[in-house]
Amino acid sequence: MASEDITKLAESLAKTKVGGGQLSFKGQSLKLNTAEDAEEVIKQIEEFDGLEALRLEGNTVGVEAAKVIAKALEKKSELKRCHWSDMFTGRLRSEIPPALISLGDALITAGAQLVELDLSDNAFGPDGVRGFEALLKSPACYTLQELKLNNCGMGIGGGKILAAALKECHRKSSAQGKPLALKVFVAGRNRLENDGATALAEAFGIIGTLEEVHMPQNGINHPGITALAQAFAINPLLKVINLNDNTFTDKGAIAMAETLKALRQIEVINFGDCLVRSKGAVAIADAVKEGLHKLKELNLSFCEIKRDAALTVAEAIEDKTELEKLDLNGNALGEEGCEQLQEILEGFNMASVLGSLSDDEGEEEDDDEEEEEEEGEAEEEEEEEEEEEEQQQLKERGQGEQESLTPKKIINSQDSTPVPSPPVDVATFLAFPSPEKLLRLGSKCSVLIAQQTDTSDVEKVVTTLLRISSVFKDDAPVKTAVHETTDALMRKAFTSATFNSDAFITSLLIHMGLLKSEEKIKAVPSLYGILMTLNHMVQQDYFPKSLAPVLSAFVTKPNRALDSCSFARHMLLQTLHQL
């Protein structure tokens, strides 16, 4: 290490905060690659008697540095709180698991009894969960009360690994007479989806001591929400439920409302941007009215709730003397509905709790029947997909087990012949994209879509690419299908003499909401799929390297939509940097 670097490090360490058993290197932007880089940090740790909390946030720790820091921690048996969020900035994903394993093994060796573990904002993906899996299962975490894994890109696979580790920790700690009593669980922005959420719900049901659960922006639909609701009912101490920006629909909302009736300690409900809709809102209002006397905050903003349902919610809070905030912004009340809402709350002398209604969508015509039809169609499609998966299980497990695995519809039917799934063509997939439809197009899906897309039309290419990427999942068959279909389409486009690459990247950035346009073009609702697809695209030989700097410049800029997909953004920027 150069002398000027040592000087800079020494100046940073001079800002180190010590007190109350806590040693903090928070936000010092230390780049700890080698053992030599970490010497001063190690010295501070070794000389700190009674170390109870170690803050390493806002720095970047490499594999070698992690090993020597871990060595210093092996003698710190009193360590209880590890604030280790955002400590792998700029690191390859492959570096993070071994670094975490070293640090975790040190805590186990030290005989530490952790109370809090925060690994948020570390884009380690599913493999990263393996890095602290052994720690979670060890005696060091039998005493864990707070686990924070916000914005880590765990995905479905990581969620399942985490759930299994928590269940094992509970089993082992129970055997010693002191069951794991986790109080706070944070795992927002992790793409857990239904399968990851359902796995964690099973762990929550076993643990039973949760007081706060924060799982916003995870792509969870009503099956996952229902599983979580059932688990929450077995956690009577719950005070805070934050499931913001998932997709309840009324089915998930009704299930959650039933659970709320059984919970007596609830203080904060955040179901904002969850598509609760009017039926779901009324169900939640009934639960609020029946109890929840400690409720301090209720967020049902941007949920497609209409006037009458919103007024029902307002009437339900009449005797909630602890309530500090009611958020119904971004729904469809209309001007008259907003006034009626305020009048109701004024009648309770509670007007001050109502949040802004500035983003109200305005009162819509009564289209309940249309909503029900849309929901019915969506549910039928989900049932078809579930039956298809069950039928595949039948094939894999053999004829002998068919009777026990037969779908309910088949059991209830006089004809026991499985109903075949409806055929899918390219037009159907592009009109209503889903992973299942893409797979059902078969092995020639990539060729078919490329053949049927006019690559001389930049807008059509961009639209098709966005629809393909929208179904991206970490699941191997789906990921492969998305990559192969993207490759066929974009290779055809970029190798065409008439294709305008600059116009393509401009249009793509506009549709992603990263570049303004004079025309009103609605940005895609989530950038995760297209960012992960671009991460694959830019590495292919057909992708013009001249577009990489443009893409990098726009993906680097601050943007709210990009912030919600930080794992995918990090992956793409890392790849672009290496080109």
Side-chain angles (χ1 to χ4, degrees):
M1 183 184 285
S3 59
E4 58 268 24
D5 292 333
I6 294 174
T7 302
K8 184 178 179 181
L9 179 60
E11 289 174 353
S12 294
L13 291 171
K15 301 174 185 176
T16 300
K17 296 178 181 179
V18 177
Q22 174 175 282
L23 177 60
S24 176
F25 302 95
K26 182 179 178 179
Q28 294 184 19
S29 301
L30 303 176
K31 295 180 180 180
L32 308 178
N33 299 316
T34 65
E36 185 182 5
D37 295 340
E39 282 180 357
E40 289 294 327
V41 173
I42 294 165
K43 182 182 178 184
Q44 294 269 5
I45 293 172
E46 289 177 340
E47 293 178 353
F48 197 109
D49 292 329
L51 180 63
E52 294 183 5
L54 178 61
R55 307 195 76 105
L56 292 173
E57 313 104 303
N59 300 291
T60 178
V61 182
V63 176
E64 189 179 340
K67 285 181 179 178
V68 292
I69 291 173
K71 195 69 178 174
L73 291 175
E74 287 181 358
K75 298 177 181 177
K76 300 299 175 181
S77 61
E78 296 178 13
L79 188 61
K80 292 181 175 62
R81 299 183 182 274
C82 297
H83 302 279
W84 294 351
S85 63
D86 189 22
M87 58 179 262
F88 296 111
T89 304
R91 299 289 169 186
L92 297 173
R93 273 183 65 182
S94 58
E95 291 182 85
I96 301 176
L100 288 173
I101 289 171
S102 295
L103 293 167
D105 287 350
L107 298 177
I108 297 170
T109 301
Q113 293 185 318
L114 295 185
V115 173
E116 179 178 0
L117 177 61
D118 186 356
L119 292 170
S120 299
D121 300 315
N122 290 310
F124 46 59
D127 293 341
V129 185
R130 293 286 189 198
F132 59 93
E133 180 185 16
L135 173 64
L136 279 181
K137 294 178 179 179
S138 76
C141 284
Y142 291 177
T143 51
L144 194 64
Q145 295 180 14
E146 300 181 31
L147 179 59
K148 301 175 182 178
L149 300 165
N150 199 56
N151 194 28
C152 291
M154 289 190 290
I156 295 171
K160 289 182 176 180
I161 297 167
L162 175 62
L166 288 172
K167 288 191 289 184
E168 182 70 0
C169 180
H170 187 272
R171 185 187 68 80
K172 288 182 174 180
S173 57
S174 297
Q176 293 194 3
K178 294 182 179 180
L180 170 68
L182 191 67
K183 294 181 179 180
V184 178
F185 180 83
V186 181
R189 296 182 180 180
N190 271 292
R191 299 291 299 181
L192 293 169
E193 301 183 20
N194 288 334
D195 289 350
T198 301
L200 285 166
E202 186 177 340
F204 296 163
I206 292 170
I207 293 169
T209 56
L210 288 166
E211 295 180 10
E212 295 186 24
V213 175
H214 303 262
M215 296 174 66
Q217 294 184 355
N218 269 298
I220 308 171
N221 300 325
H222 75 76
I225 296 299
T226 300
L228 288 171
Q230 292 168 350
F232 292 165
I234 317 172
N235 284 264
L237 301 178
L238 265 174
K239 296 178 181 178
V240 178
I241 303 177
N242 176 8
L243 294 173
N244 189 285
D245 199 6
N246 289 291
T247 307
F248 282 42
T249 67
D250 55 10
K251 196 169 184 179
I254 290 169
M256 192 62 71
E258 285 302 308
T259 286
L260 290 175
K261 291 177 182 178
L263 299 175
R264 302 298 179 196
Q265 306 301 320
I266 289 290
E267 296 178 1
V268 176
I269 299 172
N270 186 345
F271 297 158
D273 202 12
C274 281
L275 203 65
V276 165
R277 291 184 174 150
S278 296
K279 288 182 182 178
V282 170
I284 291 169
D286 288 343
V288 171
K289 190 170 186 177
E290 286 185 22
L292 306 188
H293 295 292
K294 296 183 179 181
L295 189 64
K296 294 181 179 179
E297 181 178 336
L298 176 60
N299 184 347
L300 294 174
S301 60
F302 299 94
C303 280
E304 294 191 5
I305 300 171
K306 296 179 182 177
R307 179 182 62 179
D308 290 348
L311 298 181
T312 301
V313 172
E315 290 167 352
I317 68 167
E318 179 178 2
D319 62 346
K320 308 307 169 196
T321 56
E322 300 293 319
L323 194 71
E324 298 171 0
K325 183 178 180 181
L326 172 64
D327 193 345
L328 288 168
N329 198 17
N331 289 299
L333 281 67
E335 185 175 347
E336 184 179 347
C338 290
E339 291 176 357
Q340 290 176 324
L341 181 66
Q342 290 168 331
E343 287 173 4
I344 289 173
L345 294 175
E346 285 172 0
F348 302 153
N349 197 26
M350 295 178 71
S352 61
V353 306
L354 183 63
S356 170
L357 296 172
S358 59
D359 292 319
D360 186 75
E361 296 289 338
E363 189 170 13
E364 299 174 1
E365 292 183 7
D366 190 7
D367 58 353
D368 283 345
E369 291 181 5
E370 184 178 337
E371 277 188 8
E372 288 173 5
E373 288 176 3
E374 290 175 357
E375 289 178 16
E377 289 172 0
E379 288 176 9
E380 285 175 8
E381 184 175 318
E382 287 174 7
E383 288 173 3
E384 288 173 1
E385 292 167 6
E386 288 169 3
E387 286 183 15
E388 185 180 342
E389 290 174 2
E390 289 177 331
Q391 289 169 24
Q392 183 62 36
Q393 288 178 346
L394 290 177
K395 292 178 183 178
E396 292 174 355
R397 296 193 182 191
Q399 193 71 24
E401 295 180 15
Q402 283 193 16
E403 187 173 352
S404 62
L405 292 173
T406 302
K408 291 180 182 178
K409 280 191 176 180
I410 297 174
I411 289 175
N412 295 332
S413 172
Q414 292 179 351
D415 181 6
S416 61
T417 305
V419 179
S421 299
V424 175
D425 56 20
V426 171
T428 303
F429 166 72
L430 292 177
F432 304 100
S434 75
E436 292 74 20
K437 290 192 183 79
L438 181 62
L439 294 177
R440 274 157 53 188
L441 281 172
S443 58
K444 294 183 179 180
C445 66
S446 58
V447 176
L448 292 171
I449 290 176
Q451 285 177 345
Q452 296 184 37
T453 304
D454 180 7
T455 52
S456 65
D457 187 333
V458 167
E459 281 300 310
K460 284 186 179 178
V461 173
V462 169
T463 301
T464 303
L465 174 63
L466 288 170
R467 288 180 178 172
I468 294 167
S469 65
S470 70
V471 306
F472 180 92
K473 291 174 68 176
D474 289 328
D475 182 57
V478 177
K479 183 191 293 186
T480 300
V482 169
H483 286 173
E484 289 179 350
T485 308
T486 298
D487 289 342
L489 172 68
M490 298 314 303
R491 181 172 277 108
K492 177 185 175 184
F494 283 127
T495 55
S496 170
T498 59
F499 189 69
N500 189 328
S501 299
D502 292 334
F504 164 78
I505 198 69
T506 299
S507 176
L508 180 61
L509 290 168
I510 289 171
H511 281 275
M512 290 173 69
L514 306 182
L515 183 63
K516 291 184 179 180
S517 170
E518 293 181 0
E519 301 177 18
K520 288 187 177 180
I521 295 177
K522 188 175 181 180
V524 292
S526 171
L527 294 181
Y528 180 80
I530 185 60
L531 289 172
M532 295 300 285
T533 303
L534 282 169
N535 184 54
H536 169 79
M537 269 178 58
V538 299
Q539 300 177 63
Q540 308 310 309
D541 55 5
Y542 60 73
F543 186 81
K545 297 298 182 269
S546 60
L547 299 183
V550 179
L551 190 57
S552 180
F554 280 91
V555 176
T556 304
K557 287 183 177 180
N559 183 285
R560 185 178 176 183
L562 287 171
D563 290 342
S564 66
C565 302
S566 60
F567 170 71
R569 180 191 205 177
H570 170 79
M571 292 288 292
L572 177 57
L573 287 174
Q574 184 173 279
T575 301
L576 289 169
H577 180 71
Q578 293 171 355
L579 291 177

